[in-house]
Amino acid sequence: MKRSIEDHAARFDEIASEYDDESSAEYRACANLVIEHAAPDTEDVVLDLGTGTGAIAIALASDAERVVGRDISEGMMSEAETKAADEGIENVAFGHGTFREPEYDGDVDIVTSNFAMHHLSDEEKREAISVIADLGPRTFVLGDVMFFGEPNPDEPFYSPEVDDPATVGFLADALTDAGFSLSAVERVHEQVGVLVAERGRPDADQNE
């Protein structure tokens, strides 16, 4: 991580009120794909990491049993809580948590994240994916800044001074090493995409 968690939190606190209005077309396309691939049913619990202003969490709440959003920015989560209240959504809860310490120990069926993990170093991403795997979800949907080819320094889709995106290959290997199987790869831009990782539950495997 190129900056501390506190630095990132402060940066997002400052831009929280404008974040939704200033999001790019690629961000919105990525978010839509994350929502589409997550596809919870009425008995599913969803954990949305790096939830930000709650775009993913709120969109999934109507189909899920419960959605839990975690973020490091109080300002962003305040925006998320306001949006959820305005829409009358009661089965979503937001609280502080990081990728490596999500501060959640309940059941989870689906984990989602959009445009957040690229702030971590590659080694931190591996650790985060391992933590996510240990929570026991059947599906992890990751939308993020990621490199499908050689990064073009003249057209970066990220800020090199604060962001640290990985290659798609690195992320695929990290997911596989954590026990997931990559079931879908969606390329939105040379530097933006969605990965869908799945695995069978241990109890389901025992009943086969």
Side-chain angles (χ1 to χ4, degrees):
M1 183 179 291
K2 294 188 177 182
R3 293 191 181 182
S4 69
I5 289 175
E6 292 76 17
D7 287 342
H8 280 298
R11 185 165 65 92
F12 282 106
D13 284 346
E14 289 179 3
I15 64 174
S17 61
E18 294 87 29
Y19 188 82
D20 289 342
D21 293 335
E22 295 183 359
S23 61
S24 67
E26 288 84 358
Y27 170 90
R28 293 191 293 273
C30 218
N32 288 336
L33 285 168
V34 171
I35 293 163
E36 177 184 330
H37 282 289
D41 63 33
T42 55
E43 297 181 349
D44 283 335
V45 176
V46 180
L47 174 63
D48 185 41
L49 295 174
T51 195
T53 61
I56 304 297
I58 291 170
L60 295 176
S62 61
D63 294 322
E65 177 181 336
R66 185 161 61 96
V67 180
V68 177
R70 290 288 183 262
D71 205 278
I72 60 173
S73 167
E74 295 295 332
M76 297 286 270
M77 285 188 290
S78 178
E79 293 290 324
E81 289 169 348
T82 297
K83 289 196 295 186
D86 288 347
E87 295 183 31
I89 296 171
E90 299 180 348
N91 64 329
V92 60
F94 299 101
H96 183 274
T98 69
F99 279 105
R100 291 171 293 162
E101 295 182 6
E103 300 186 29
Y104 177 76
D105 59 3
D107 293 334
V108 59
D109 302 286
I110 300 166
V111 175
T112 57
S113 182
N114 193 50
F115 269 59
M117 192 178 279
H118 65 274
H119 298 301
L120 304 180
S121 69
D122 281 358
E123 190 54 42
E124 289 167 336
K125 291 184 187 73
R126 275 196 176 275
E127 186 180 347
I129 289 170
S130 178
V131 169
I132 290 167
D134 287 344
L135 292 172
R138 69 170 185 271
T139 303
F140 173 35
V141 187
L142 173 65
D144 208 354
V145 183
M146 58 185 71
F147 300 134
F148 284 85
E150 285 296 319
N152 181 351
D154 295 326
E155 288 190 12
F157 197 84
Y158 61 103
S159 300
E161 66 274 13
V162 295
D163 301 329
D164 197 4
T167 65
V168 173
F170 175 88
L171 292 170
D173 287 345
L175 289 164
T176 300
D177 290 346
F180 290 102
S181 296
L182 205 59
S183 60
V185 178
E186 300 269 16
R187 185 163 105 178
V188 174
H189 178 278
E190 272 295 309
Q191 298 177 5
V192 178
V194 174
L195 304 181
V196 184
E198 300 183 82
R199 65 179 186 177
R201 289 188 180 281
D203 55 350
D205 294 340
Q206 292 172 4
N207 291 330
E208 289 181 354

